[in-house]
Amino acid sequence: MVPTDYQGYYYPQPPPSMAHMGPGMMMGAPPPGMHMGPSSGPPPAMHLGAVPQHPPHQPTCFPVRMRGLPFDAGENEVIDFFYPLDIMPGGIVIRFHPAQPGAPPRPKGEAYVAFPSAEVRAMAMERNKQLMRSRYIELFEASEPEFVAHAQNPQLGPPVTPRGPGGGGMRPY
C-alpha cells in the first residue's frame, strides 16, 4: 500500500536505512525543498518525494464525424438525421473550406456532432450509411480533442488517420 495524503499525492517509502528516522531526527539543516512540519514551509505539493496523482480524463462529450452531407445542409437537417437522440447544446459543427479572397467559405460536406454519452453515440453510429436526401452519410467515431479543435476552427484540415503498411501512394499505370 502506498501512503497518500488528502491532496492526492503519494509518497514513496524511505529507503530501509532511513526508515527508522523521523523528520525531527535529522542532523543539521534539512536539504533544500524538504518540508519539516505542517505549520511552515512549502505547500504539501512540494514535499520531498511527492509525486502528483492525476485522475484519468473523463470525456465530457462523445463526438461523431459525419461525411457526405449535402453542401447546403444545415444544423436542422443534422438534428433531423439523428432524431430522437439527444445532441449536446452547441454540439454541431459544420466544416468549411478556407475562405478565398472575395468569396464566402464553402461547406465541405462534413460535420461533427457531440452526444452526451457513449451509449447515445453508439445509437447514433447505427445510422451509418443512412440517407440524408439522396446522399449516403458516413459516420466515424471522433475524439473529444478533435471535436474541440474543429469547434474552435471549422476550417481545419481533415483528421490525420495513420495508414497501415503497404501503400496508398502514387502508382504507375
Side-chain angles (χ1 to χ4, degrees), residues 56-75:
H57 174 70
Q58 298 296 323
T60 57
C61 70
F62 298 84
V64 167
R65 181 169 62 100
M66 301 177 76
R67 184 169 69 186
L69 292 173
F71 292 117
D72 59 344
E75 287 188 11

mmCIF file of all heavy atoms in Angstrom, residues 56-75:
data_model
loop_
_atom_site.group_PDB
_atom_site.id
_atom_site.type_symbol
_atom_site.label_atom_id
_atom_site.label_comp_id
_atom_site.label_asym_id
_atom_site.label_seq_id
_atom_site.Cartn_x
_atom_site.Cartn_y
_atom_site.Cartn_z
ATOM 1 N N PRO A 56 -7.562 9.980 -14.357
ATOM 2 C CA PRO A 56 -7.682 9.891 -15.811
ATOM 3 C C PRO A 56 -8.766 10.841 -16.311
ATOM 4 O O PRO A 56 -9.755 11.092 -15.627
ATOM 5 C CB PRO A 56 -8.050 8.431 -16.069
ATOM 6 C CG PRO A 56 -8.546 7.912 -14.767
ATOM 7 C CD PRO A 56 -7.929 8.748 -13.691
ATOM 8 N N HIS A 57 -8.544 11.372 -17.521
ATOM 9 C CA HIS A 57 -9.501 12.319 -18.109
ATOM 10 C C HIS A 57 -10.809 11.599 -18.423
ATOM 11 O O HIS A 57 -10.816 10.577 -19.084
ATOM 12 C CB HIS A 57 -8.913 12.923 -19.379
ATOM 13 C CG HIS A 57 -9.876 13.780 -20.124
ATOM 14 N ND1 HIS A 57 -10.302 14.996 -19.649
ATOM 15 C CD2 HIS A 57 -10.534 13.586 -21.290
ATOM 16 C CE1 HIS A 57 -11.160 15.518 -20.500
ATOM 17 N NE2 HIS A 57 -11.317 14.688 -21.501
ATOM 18 N N GLN A 58 -11.898 12.146 -17.940
ATOM 19 C CA GLN A 58 -13.228 11.627 -18.250
ATOM 20 C C GLN A 58 -13.813 12.487 -19.357
ATOM 21 O O GLN A 58 -13.918 13.698 -19.210
ATOM 22 C CB GLN A 58 -14.131 11.684 -17.010
ATOM 23 C CG GLN A 58 -13.646 10.832 -15.861
ATOM 24 C CD GLN A 58 -13.653 9.356 -16.201
ATOM 25 O OE1 GLN A 58 -14.536 8.873 -16.898
ATOM 26 N NE2 GLN A 58 -12.656 8.640 -15.733
ATOM 27 N N PRO A 59 -14.162 11.888 -20.505
ATOM 28 C CA PRO A 59 -14.703 12.705 -21.586
ATOM 29 C C PRO A 59 -16.003 13.392 -21.170
ATOM 30 O O PRO A 59 -16.795 12.845 -20.415
ATOM 31 C CB PRO A 59 -14.958 11.714 -22.717
ATOM 32 C CG PRO A 59 -14.592 10.377 -22.228
ATOM 33 C CD PRO A 59 -14.093 10.491 -20.838
ATOM 34 N N THR A 60 -16.185 14.608 -21.673
ATOM 35 C CA THR A 60 -17.417 15.340 -21.383
ATOM 36 C C THR A 60 -18.378 15.287 -22.563
ATOM 37 O O THR A 60 -19.530 15.661 -22.428
ATOM 38 C CB THR A 60 -17.109 16.805 -21.048
ATOM 39 O OG1 THR A 60 -16.395 17.386 -22.144
ATOM 40 C CG2 THR A 60 -16.287 16.914 -19.780
ATOM 41 N N CYS A 61 -17.883 14.862 -23.733
ATOM 42 C CA CYS A 61 -18.759 14.683 -24.890
ATOM 43 C C CYS A 61 -18.240 13.506 -25.709
ATOM 44 O O CYS A 61 -17.080 13.116 -25.585
ATOM 45 C CB CYS A 61 -18.844 15.950 -25.731
ATOM 46 S SG CYS A 61 -17.341 16.360 -26.628
ATOM 47 N N PHE A 62 -19.103 12.954 -26.523
ATOM 48 C CA PHE A 62 -18.783 11.767 -27.309
ATOM 49 C C PHE A 62 -19.134 12.080 -28.767
ATOM 50 O O PHE A 62 -20.259 11.855 -29.197
ATOM 51 C CB PHE A 62 -19.556 10.558 -26.772
ATOM 52 C CG PHE A 62 -19.182 10.236 -25.353
ATOM 53 C CD1 PHE A 62 -19.781 10.904 -24.298
ATOM 54 C CD2 PHE A 62 -18.206 9.300 -25.092
ATOM 55 C CE1 PHE A 62 -19.418 10.631 -22.987
ATOM 56 C CE2 PHE A 62 -17.840 9.015 -23.783
ATOM 57 C CZ PHE A 62 -18.444 9.678 -22.731
ATOM 58 N N PRO A 63 -18.161 12.625 -29.526
ATOM 59 C CA PRO A 63 -18.475 13.120 -30.867
ATOM 60 C C PRO A 63 -18.435 12.058 -31.958
ATOM 61 O O PRO A 63 -17.820 11.002 -31.829
ATOM 62 C CB PRO A 63 -17.396 14.173 -31.111
ATOM 63 C CG PRO A 63 -16.285 13.817 -30.202
ATOM 64 C CD PRO A 63 -16.859 13.043 -29.067
ATOM 65 N N VAL A 64 -19.107 12.388 -33.049
ATOM 66 C CA VAL A 64 -19.148 11.597 -34.270
ATOM 67 C C VAL A 64 -18.823 12.549 -35.412
ATOM 68 O O VAL A 64 -19.263 13.698 -35.418
ATOM 69 C CB VAL A 64 -20.566 10.995 -34.467
ATOM 70 C CG1 VAL A 64 -20.745 10.447 -35.863
ATOM 71 C CG2 VAL A 64 -20.847 9.936 -33.427
ATOM 72 N N ARG A 65 -18.022 12.072 -36.367
ATOM 73 C CA ARG A 65 -17.761 12.861 -37.575
ATOM 74 C C ARG A 65 -18.666 12.352 -38.683
ATOM 75 O O ARG A 65 -18.755 11.149 -38.916
ATOM 76 C CB ARG A 65 -16.295 12.745 -38.004
ATOM 77 C CG ARG A 65 -15.971 13.573 -39.242
ATOM 78 C CD ARG A 65 -14.485 13.673 -39.501
ATOM 79 N NE ARG A 65 -13.858 12.404 -39.763
ATOM 80 C CZ ARG A 65 -13.547 11.944 -40.973
ATOM 81 N NH1 ARG A 65 -13.841 12.662 -42.044
ATOM 82 N NH2 ARG A 65 -12.962 10.786 -41.105
ATOM 83 N N MET A 66 -19.366 13.253 -39.339
ATOM 84 C CA MET A 66 -20.252 12.916 -40.460
ATOM 85 C C MET A 66 -19.550 13.307 -41.750
ATOM 86 O O MET A 66 -18.966 14.388 -41.840
ATOM 87 C CB MET A 66 -21.565 13.694 -40.365
ATOM 88 C CG MET A 66 -22.358 13.474 -39.110
ATOM 89 S SD MET A 66 -23.842 14.517 -39.057
ATOM 90 C CE MET A 66 -24.888 13.645 -40.212
ATOM 91 N N ARG A 67 -19.642 12.445 -42.752
ATOM 92 C CA ARG A 67 -19.073 12.758 -44.067
ATOM 93 C C ARG A 67 -20.115 12.436 -45.129
ATOM 94 O O ARG A 67 -20.820 11.441 -45.021
ATOM 95 C CB ARG A 67 -17.811 11.931 -44.294
ATOM 96 C CG ARG A 67 -17.107 12.261 -45.605
ATOM 97 C CD ARG A 67 -15.760 11.636 -45.693
ATOM 98 N NE ARG A 67 -15.881 10.188 -45.822
ATOM 99 C CZ ARG A 67 -14.850 9.352 -45.811
ATOM 100 N NH1 ARG A 67 -13.632 9.816 -45.632
ATOM 101 N NH2 ARG A 67 -15.039 8.063 -45.952
ATOM 102 N N GLY A 68 -20.213 13.292 -46.141
ATOM 103 C CA GLY A 68 -21.162 13.069 -47.223
ATOM 104 C C GLY A 68 -22.401 13.927 -47.132
ATOM 105 O O GLY A 68 -23.378 13.676 -47.840
ATOM 106 N N LEU A 69 -22.392 14.944 -46.272
ATOM 107 C CA LEU A 69 -23.563 15.826 -46.138
ATOM 108 C C LEU A 69 -23.804 16.587 -47.437
ATOM 109 O O LEU A 69 -22.851 16.950 -48.140
ATOM 110 C CB LEU A 69 -23.333 16.872 -45.039
ATOM 111 C CG LEU A 69 -23.249 16.398 -43.598
ATOM 112 C CD1 LEU A 69 -22.842 17.559 -42.706
ATOM 113 C CD2 LEU A 69 -24.571 15.852 -43.158
ATOM 114 N N PRO A 70 -25.066 16.852 -47.767
ATOM 115 C CA PRO A 70 -25.330 17.789 -48.864
ATOM 116 C C PRO A 70 -24.670 19.129 -48.518
ATOM 117 O O PRO A 70 -24.649 19.536 -47.354
ATOM 118 C CB PRO A 70 -26.855 17.909 -48.873
ATOM 119 C CG PRO A 70 -27.349 16.678 -48.188
ATOM 120 C CD PRO A 70 -26.299 16.312 -47.194
ATOM 121 N N PHE A 71 -24.124 19.797 -49.510
ATOM 122 C CA PHE A 71 -23.356 21.006 -49.235
ATOM 123 C C PHE A 71 -24.186 22.122 -48.631
ATOM 124 O O PHE A 71 -23.659 22.980 -47.934
ATOM 125 C CB PHE A 71 -22.647 21.495 -50.507
ATOM 126 C CG PHE A 71 -21.565 20.564 -50.947
ATOM 127 C CD1 PHE A 71 -21.657 19.914 -52.166
ATOM 128 C CD2 PHE A 71 -20.464 20.311 -50.146
ATOM 129 C CE1 PHE A 71 -20.662 19.045 -52.573
ATOM 130 C CE2 PHE A 71 -19.468 19.441 -50.541
ATOM 131 C CZ PHE A 71 -19.567 18.799 -51.760
ATOM 132 N N ASP A 72 -25.498 22.096 -48.854
ATOM 133 C CA ASP A 72 -26.332 23.145 -48.280
ATOM 134 C C ASP A 72 -27.052 22.681 -47.009
ATOM 135 O O ASP A 72 -27.948 23.360 -46.525
ATOM 136 C CB ASP A 72 -27.336 23.665 -49.306
ATOM 137 C CG ASP A 72 -28.266 22.580 -49.834
ATOM 138 O OD1 ASP A 72 -27.961 21.382 -49.652
ATOM 139 O OD2 ASP A 72 -29.299 22.933 -50.427
ATOM 140 N N ALA A 73 -26.650 21.547 -46.464
ATOM 141 C CA ALA A 73 -27.280 21.040 -45.232
ATOM 142 C C ALA A 73 -26.919 21.950 -44.059
ATOM 143 O O ALA A 73 -25.789 22.426 -43.944
ATOM 144 C CB ALA A 73 -26.828 19.613 -44.943
ATOM 145 N N GLY A 74 -27.888 22.157 -43.196
ATOM 146 C CA GLY A 74 -27.674 22.982 -42.019
ATOM 147 C C GLY A 74 -27.855 22.165 -40.746
ATOM 148 O O GLY A 74 -28.060 20.948 -40.774
ATOM 149 N N GLU A 75 -27.775 22.873 -39.626
ATOM 150 C CA GLU A 75 -27.900 22.208 -38.328
ATOM 151 C C GLU A 75 -29.234 21.490 -38.174
ATOM 152 O O GLU A 75 -29.293 20.413 -37.575
ATOM 153 C CB GLU A 75 -27.704 23.217 -37.194
ATOM 154 C CG GLU A 75 -26.276 23.666 -37.028
ATOM 155 C CD GLU A 75 -26.077 24.513 -35.782
ATOM 156 O OE1 GLU A 75 -26.997 24.589 -34.934
ATOM 157 O OE2 GLU A 75 -24.996 25.100 -35.665
#
